[in-house]
Amino acid sequence: MLVLLSLALLTVSFRESSNGPMHRVQGYGSSATKPFQVVADRVAQPFEDGYGWIHGMLTAKNENKKMRQELESLRQQRARQKNAEAEVTQLETLLNYEHSSRFPHDYQKVNVEVMTPATGAFEQTIVITAGQNRDIRIDDPVVVGDGLVGRISQVGPTTSKVTLVSDPSFAASARDLRTGAEGIVRHPATGSDVLILDNVKTDQRVREGDSIITSGWRRPDLSSLYPAQVSIGRISSYSRTDVDPNIQIQVEPTVDFSSLEAVIVLIPNNRQVSGP
Amino acid sequence: MRLVLKTAAIVFAAAILQGSWFDALSLGSGSAGLLLVVVVSLALLRGSVLGASAGFAAGLLFDISTFGQLGLTSLLLTLAGFWTGRYGETTGRDRAHAPFLSVAVITVLYELGGLLVRFLIGEPAPFGKLVLGALPGELLLNLLLIAPVYVLCRRAVGKHGDELGAPEVRVLA
């Protein structure tokens, strides 16, 4: 009886759309359990902080050395970029160039706490503590300071589900910051922890360490879900074969999905004007 | 009635803790399955009917609170609770190793079952990632959890037959 009931639930919830009655009930149920989850998180917080402090002390020396090197390299990079940016702005003004949506200018930020961390070997999702009450909708992009986290895949009254970049169902158009090579970032079917940048032709000269960012394309009738120039990761390895017209590129995500405590949901500015 | 209320409270607490603390407690890419361990413990202590009911309720609550695929965890935990309960009522009765053996076998079957259902409904089902990445860590963490959880559950709901107060009868012939 219970097995049949479970199968019925599974079938109905699988077949209905994300706005269907079962999903709505799930949204209300998730909101109802939210206070208990928040209390459990509050209780766990001092222990997590204690572990974090000890771990931080043990790794601080190595991390400090690494950070100093990185800082030096970023300072040089920043100087180069400032020159390039000034040049680009000047050229764009001359050409009346029109952009696709850009982060952070074209979005409002909703800072939210992570209620349930990413779990399991199959589905890479998190639950956050904001939903319709903060005007969050399905497909809204989610980021942190380090880069792209994922997109909203289900919304309840006060909670939402975020499908992470590391989930097998996720895909986003992306490009190599240095070469401009465009492709699609997705999770490989093999279940590896790294991402792959697909559909990049073999004539593109990519290198290990290249930054991969969202391309944020826009056409007259539709546009990418994600704003342009949000960091996704760095190329960790690549290979070319004679039989494949595309390069096999592996991308190490910049965001550590296992330790997300808070994220930023991006709400497009233009939606608030045209939305209900 | 008291037993049902106690079981409901344990299952509710386990579902909340699973979604907050225990999902973050990971080894490799496998995380501790408190909910599964609680269902196995309750089923061993109180039999297959309570095991299956607790499994269904626990799965439903977990899927609701984490926006999971509704019915998936319920189906797997119902079967896990029922089979463990049957084992506890028959072969595993009064065996000291029964909780450890049950949780090890059920953890493997639970994950493989989840993989199969996902494959059948057309969702990504990475076998290699599960077997090489998540399963060893999850198995170890669940084995570490079973002893304290089993003791706590036994204190809370008792063992089937404890309330009769009858001494064990052994056939010596």
Side-chain angles (χ1 to χ4, degrees), chain B residues 2-13:
Chain B
R2 279 184 68 188
L3 174 66
V4 174
L5 287 174
K6 278 181 180 176
T7 308
I10 292 170
V11 164
F12 184 77

Side-chain angles (χ1 to χ4, degrees), chain A residues 47-163:
Chain A
F47 299 101
E48 280 177 24
D49 290 347
Y51 173 77
W53 188 79
I54 293 167
H55 186 258
M57 288 295 282
L58 293 172
T59 55
K61 203 176 171 185
N62 281 341
E63 205 167 326
N64 190 25
K65 195 178 167 190
K66 202 176 134 192
M67 291 289 181
R68 278 178 190 278
Q69 287 171 345
E70 205 168 315
L71 182 68
E72 189 54 43
S73 150
L74 286 172
R75 271 191 184 138
Q76 292 168 4
Q77 211 174 320
R78 186 166 171 262
R80 282 200 302 270
Q81 273 182 354
K82 274 206 155 185
N83 282 335
E85 253 176 46
E87 220 169 286
V88 167
T89 312
Q90 204 177 354
L91 287 170
E92 281 177 356
T93 316
L94 285 172
L95 294 168
N96 288 326
Y97 190 79
E98 208 172 312
H99 283 290
S100 60
S101 299
R102 278 188 169 182
F103 170 67
H105 320 292
D106 301 327
Y107 290 86
Q108 282 199 349
K109 292 185 261 182
V110 179
N111 299 296
V112 288
E113 198 181 340
V114 175
M115 193 168 92
T116 307
T119 61
F122 310 119
E123 215 182 11
Q124 284 283 301
T125 58
I126 55 171
V127 179
I128 56 172
T129 57
Q132 289 157 352
N133 59 336
R134 302 291 301 272
D135 198 29
I136 290 173
R137 296 191 201 165
I138 288 177
D139 288 337
D140 281 347
V142 182
V143 299
V144 285
D146 293 338
L148 187 67
V149 171
R151 66 176 175 84
I152 300 287
S153 53
Q154 210 170 326
V155 185
T158 59
T159 52
S160 309
K161 178 171 151 182
V162 180
T163 297

Side-chain angles (χ1 to χ4, degrees), chain A residues 171-191:
Chain A
S173 51
R175 69 187 171 89
D176 184 315
L177 183 62
R178 191 179 56 83
T179 64
E182 300 245 359
I184 294 171
V185 158
R186 60 180 177 82
H187 197 268
T190 52

Side-chain angles (χ1 to χ4, degrees), chain B residues 96-166:
Chain B
H97 64 262
F100 300 96
L101 184 64
S102 304
V103 88
V105 173
I106 292 293
T107 300
V108 175
L109 291 178
Y110 175 82
E111 290 299 343
L112 292 177
L115 193 80
L116 181 68
V117 176
R118 284 181 180 279
F119 176 73
L120 289 175
I121 61 177
E123 287 196 3
F127 181 79
K129 188 181 180 185
L130 172 78
V131 174
L132 301 174
L135 197 54
E138 191 173 341
L139 195 61
L140 189 64
L141 288 169
N142 287 359
L143 281 169
L144 290 171
L145 272 179
I146 184 70
V149 170
Y150 185 80
V151 171
L152 286 173
C153 286
R154 183 163 185 165
R155 279 189 161 222
V157 297
K159 194 167 191 274
H160 191 61
D162 279 359
E163 62 271 23
L164 298 174

Side-chain angles (χ1 to χ4, degrees), chain A residues 22-30 154, chain B residues 63-64 67-70:
Chain A
M22 295 285 271
H23 284 85
R24 278 207 298 275
V25 170
Q26 201 173 12
Y28 288 119
S30 175
Q154 210 170 326
Chain B
D63 283 340
I64 283 175
F67 283 103
Q69 184 74 55
L70 216 56

Side-chain angles (χ1 to χ4, degrees), chain A residues 2-3 5-6 9-10 13-14 26 29-30 33 36-37 40-41 43-44 116-117 119 121-122 127 154 159 161 168 191, chain B residues 12 16 19-21 23 52-53 56 60 63-71 74-75 78-79 111 115 118 121 124 129 134:
Chain A
L2 291 174
V3 170
L5 195 57
S6 301
L9 276 173
L10 185 60
S13 72
F14 183 70
Q26 201 173 12
S30 175
T33 58
F36 299 99
Q37 299 258 17
D41 282 342
V43 173
T116 307
T119 61
F122 310 119
V127 179
Q154 210 170 326
T159 52
K161 178 171 151 182
Chain B
F12 184 77
I16 296 295
S20 49
W21 295 12
D23 275 345
S53 310
F56 178 79
L60 194 61
D63 283 340
I64 283 175
S65 65
T66 60
F67 283 103
Q69 184 74 55
L70 216 56
S74 302
L75 176 68
T78 302
L79 292 172
E111 290 299 343
L115 193 80
R118 284 181 180 279
I121 61 177
K129 188 181 180 185

